[in-house]
Amino acid sequence: MRWHPFQLNPDLPAEGIDRADYLKMKFGDRAGGNMYDNVRRAAADVGLDLAMDDIERQPNTIRAHSLIALAQQHNQQKMVETLFEAYFQKGVDLTSEQSLIETAREAGLAEPLIEAALNDESVHETVRAADANARQLGVSGVPFFIFNQRLAVSGAAGAETLVQAFRKASEPANDAEVNSPD
């Protein structure tokens, strides 16, 4: 499995914005209250306790994506899970350099990689280019799954749909289609 960069909010400033302001801007009157009830229930069904109300800043995620990209280059797959846990379950501010450093250390990323991911503009540009490529291919949201570089599933699909897509993408190339499964 490989994670590819895609920013939901690539135009946010590096320091992010206040989460409540972001939600009001994005969802208007629907922001707040029970907005995340369905997400919390789905997470609870698989044993996750989300702390959506603890998130204070909506981050620009270029540096977090840079951590993921460099971790993957060095076969360290724990970075995504550690970032997700920090943000969605602990409300960690992903705009804070210190928080990103601590999260990357927790994931086992080496110090030189952490430094490069956070401060090397060429790494950030590589991530921005990959994000732009995903947009050119038609990706407009997350989750977005690509199986065997041949079949795509967009949106929060259930396990059955994902297993079906995996099986279909594993078939010989002339039998697979490049779209969502039935």
Side-chain angles (χ1 to χ4, degrees), residues 81-102:
E81 182 180 332
T82 306
L83 281 166
F84 281 172
E85 181 181 311
Y87 185 67
F88 293 112
Q89 294 182 275
K90 299 176 183 175
V92 169
D93 178 4
L94 297 184
T95 66
S96 160
E97 184 165 323
Q98 189 58 42
S99 293
L100 288 170
I101 290 169
E102 290 170 12

Side-chain angles (χ1 to χ4, degrees), residues 7-134:
Q7 295 186 90
L8 290 173
N9 304 291
D11 298 325
L12 285 181
E15 68 276 5
I17 63 172
D18 179 79
R19 174 79 171 178
D21 291 344
Y22 168 78
L23 293 175
K24 285 178 190 169
M25 182 176 62
K26 185 168 183 166
F27 298 108
D29 293 339
R30 296 180 298 149
N34 58 359
M35 172 175 168
Y36 289 114
D37 287 352
N38 290 339
V39 173
R40 282 189 188 100
R41 274 192 294 279
D45 286 348
V46 294
L48 295 174
D49 182 25
L50 299 183
M52 304 299 284
D53 296 329
D54 293 346
I55 299 171
E56 295 180 7
R57 301 220 38 91
Q58 183 66 33
N60 175 308
T61 55
I62 193 70
R63 296 188 319 155
H65 280 291
S66 296
L67 286 167
I68 295 165
L70 290 182
Q72 286 185 143
Q73 287 177 10
H74 292 83
N75 296 317
Q76 295 177 326
Q77 298 298 318
K78 191 176 175 187
M79 191 72 244
V80 173
E81 182 180 332
T82 306
L83 281 166
F84 281 172
E85 181 181 311
Y87 185 67
F88 293 112
Q89 294 182 275
K90 299 176 183 175
V92 169
D93 178 4
L94 297 184
T95 66
S96 160
E97 184 165 323
Q98 189 58 42
S99 293
L100 288 170
I101 290 169
E102 290 170 12
T103 303
R105 285 178 180 157
E106 183 181 332
L109 201 58
E111 295 294 325
L113 295 178
I114 295 170
E115 174 68 26
L118 298 181
N119 300 307
D120 186 334
E121 190 56 34
S122 68
V123 174
H124 300 173
E125 281 306 312
T126 299
V127 169
R128 284 186 191 100
D131 180 273
N133 185 57

